[in-house]
Amino acid sequence: VRLAVLSIVFYLPFLITFRSQAAGIAPNLINPTSFGQFFLMFAPLLLLTLPFLGAEAARANARMNWRVGWLIGGGALLGLLALMLIFGLIGLLIPDIRAQAESLALQNGGWDVTIADALLKRLTHLPTALLLTFMIVLIAGRLFPRHADDFETDADPRVVTYPAATGFALLLIAAGAVLILTPEFIFLRDNFGSRMNTVFKFYYQAWLLISLAAAYGAHVLLTDARAINVPLRAAYGGLTAVVLVLGLLFPAFAVQHRARVEFGRAFNPQPITLDGAPGFINAEDYQAVLCLQQIVGDRQDVVVAEAVGGQYDGRFGRTGTLTGIPVVLNWAGHQAQWRGATYGETVGSRDADINLLYSDPTWDLAQRIINLYAIDYIFFGSAERQKYADAPAAELKFRENLPIVCEFGGTRVYQVPEYIISAARE
């Protein structure tokens, strides 16, 4: 209880201002997951946990409660299917959602073709949902053993037939299975209008939960002589070794590809370090960012202007990304995701104003924008030169009116004089 209270207190400044892009629940009518995609994502965990679930079902023997298992597993599947249909019908009653659905159907050849394709895909992709459902069935049947009068008289039928650790591991697998199964039918509606973000977030959590249980399951099957016989234990041990070896290959090759190939360092003898910033942005920009960071130091009231660009583009938002110094605006797409419906009110005309700050050649307009956002420094580097190549005089107004505090090649950082900043903040 104390931990929960402290968590709320410490996060309260964030919680009272947070506005999510989530806008309710939407049905996933046309994008189920093929078994190949599902297996590619979760193969290591499935190969380790499915034998564990089978062994637990076998150990339960007559106490395995298949009736409860099918009630819970089948109920979960039918419940999600019902929610998908219900939210689909509700969506047709909402003008905006109905218009989107009609547009999508028209693009796919009409409602008849769209519905036929959706039904066919549900059939071809059904193995994914069925396997997840059966995993829930096995777990529920094991967690809630049968209580029947025909068991041996010297045993209490209410006694749980598995260790507490096994029960917890089974719950972890069940939670992961539910997280994977849910986006097959419904998802959280957001700015993208698809299940992408729901899958992204749910699969991460599912991977963590099932991986913890997989480690426990492997321990049980390899060390508990009562779990499985010797030939099966040997086969499972070989399978575990293969999974671990193949799994360890991924980080080795992924780090190499990410650190060298993607950044063009495949044939560069320069050693790899934990500081990825020098390869993340233009070298001159990087030096200017370091210079600015030295000048600003620990000050918290500094604002930097940079050209606004799209998310995942390292050329934009350099100062904020590498130093944490606030910028007026950048990576607007992600800003919109985290502010939801309040984005427009919060951001206002920042994007357009920064565009005018750089593109308009007049100093009077630039000064008004500087005053509006109390800008302390203006960054003019590779991104600004490229984005405003059609406005060659864009930088001239800064050179004529502001001192340069950092300069590396074609990259310059301009400082706004204190009298302009003071006037703006008053």
Side-chain angles (χ1 to χ4, degrees):
V1 175
R2 293 177 182 176
L3 181 61
V5 172
L6 289 175
S7 299
I8 294 173
V9 171
F10 291 150
Y11 276 91
L12 191 60
F14 167 78
L15 295 174
I16 61 178
T17 59
F18 175 68
R19 297 295 182 270
S20 173
Q21 61 173 313
I25 298 175
N28 175 30
L29 298 171
I30 59 175
N31 289 312
T33 306
S34 70
F35 185 78
Q37 294 171 326
F38 168 65
F39 189 76
L40 181 65
M41 177 67 68
F42 292 100
L45 305 185
L46 291 174
L47 293 174
L48 295 180
T49 54
L50 288 177
F52 172 61
L53 294 181
E56 286 301 315
R59 293 178 74 174
N61 200 359
R63 298 291 298 275
M64 185 68 179
N65 200 335
W66 290 104
R67 180 174 176 273
V68 168
W70 283 110
L71 282 175
I72 294 177
L77 179 64
L78 294 176
L80 288 171
L81 178 62
L83 285 176
M84 180 186 73
L85 297 175
I86 291 171
F87 282 109
L89 293 174
I90 293 174
L92 292 177
L93 301 178
I94 301 175
D96 291 344
I97 298 178
R98 184 176 67 248
Q100 294 177 10
E102 291 174 348
S103 175
L104 179 63
L106 185 62
Q107 294 175 14
N108 293 333
W111 278 110
D112 53 343
V113 176
T114 302
I115 293 174
D117 288 346
L119 292 175
L120 178 62
K121 188 176 287 188
R122 281 290 167 186
L123 291 175
T124 58
H125 293 41
L126 189 59
T128 300
L130 290 181
L131 177 59
L132 291 167
T133 301
F134 190 61
M135 290 170 64
I136 298 172
V137 170
L138 289 175
I139 294 168
R142 180 63 167 139
L143 288 176
F144 303 99
R146 290 176 58 209
H147 296 160
D149 295 333
D150 56 350
F151 285 108
E152 58 272 22
T153 56
D154 59 341
D156 187 345
R158 297 170 296 176
V159 172
V160 175
T161 59
Y162 51 83
T166 296
F168 183 67
L170 293 174
L171 285 173
L172 291 178
I173 300 173
V178 170
L179 286 172
I180 302 169
L181 184 61
T182 298
E184 295 297 299
F185 300 95
I186 57 176
F187 63 91
L188 294 176
R189 187 165 170 256
D190 56 21
N191 293 356
F192 295 97
S194 70
R195 68 171 189 155
M196 179 185 70
N197 259 345
T198 303
V199 169
F200 179 40
K201 302 301 190 298
F202 279 27
Y203 276 25
Y204 262 135
Q205 308 308 318
W207 180 274
L208 291 173
L209 293 173
I210 300 177
S211 63
L212 292 173
Y216 173 81
H219 168 74
V220 169
L221 296 185
L222 293 175
T223 61
D224 190 345
R226 299 167 299 174
I228 50 178
N229 57 39
V230 174
L232 289 178
R233 184 177 298 111
Y236 185 79
L239 176 64
T240 303
V242 171
V243 169
L244 291 176
V245 169
L246 293 179
L248 290 172
L249 290 177
F250 174 80
F253 285 100
V255 170
Q256 164 70 14
H257 190 275
R258 181 68 171 172
R260 289 198 178 277
V261 178
E262 288 189 26
F263 286 96
R265 300 172 179 162
F267 304 102
N268 189 340
Q270 181 181 356
I272 298 177
T273 69
L274 293 178
D275 183 4
F280 184 66
I281 63 173
N282 174 279
E284 296 172 352
D285 289 0
Y286 178 63
Q287 293 300 320
V289 169
L290 294 182
C291 172
L292 179 60
Q293 186 178 31
Q294 280 190 328
I295 294 172
V296 172
D298 296 330
R299 289 181 57 191
Q300 302 294 317
D301 59 344
V302 173
V303 178
V304 177
E306 296 187 38
V308 178
Q311 53 264 36
Y312 307 114
D313 191 333
R315 297 172 302 166
F316 299 97
R318 297 147 295 192
T319 305
T321 301
L322 300 179
T323 70
I325 300 173
V327 298
V328 179
L329 176 68
N330 238 302
W331 287 31
H334 266 153
Q335 299 289 346
Q337 289 181 51
W338 293 116
R339 286 167 175 77
T342 65
Y343 173 74
E345 179 183 354
T346 303
V347 173
S349 59
R350 289 173 183 246
D351 196 342
D353 290 340
I354 294 299
N355 189 57
L356 285 173
L357 174 66
Y358 282 100
S359 62
D360 193 279
T362 61
W363 172 246
D364 287 343
L365 178 59
Q367 190 171 4
R368 286 200 298 271
I369 295 172
I370 290 171
N371 290 341
L372 177 62
Y373 299 108
I375 296 171
D376 298 270
Y377 297 93
I378 297 174
F379 201 102
F380 205 102
S382 59
E384 287 73 20
R385 290 195 303 272
Q386 183 175 356
K387 184 170 183 178
Y388 301 105
D390 295 335
E395 189 184 7
L396 184 60
K397 59 182 177 295
F398 302 137
R399 294 183 72 101
E400 292 178 344
N401 295 278
L402 301 176
I404 298 173
V405 292
C406 299
E407 184 170 12
F408 297 89
T411 298
R412 286 169 283 275
V413 178
Y414 297 91
Q415 183 179 24
V416 179
E418 185 62 33
Y419 72 88
I420 296 180
I421 301 173
S422 300
R425 288 175 178 166
E426 288 175 1

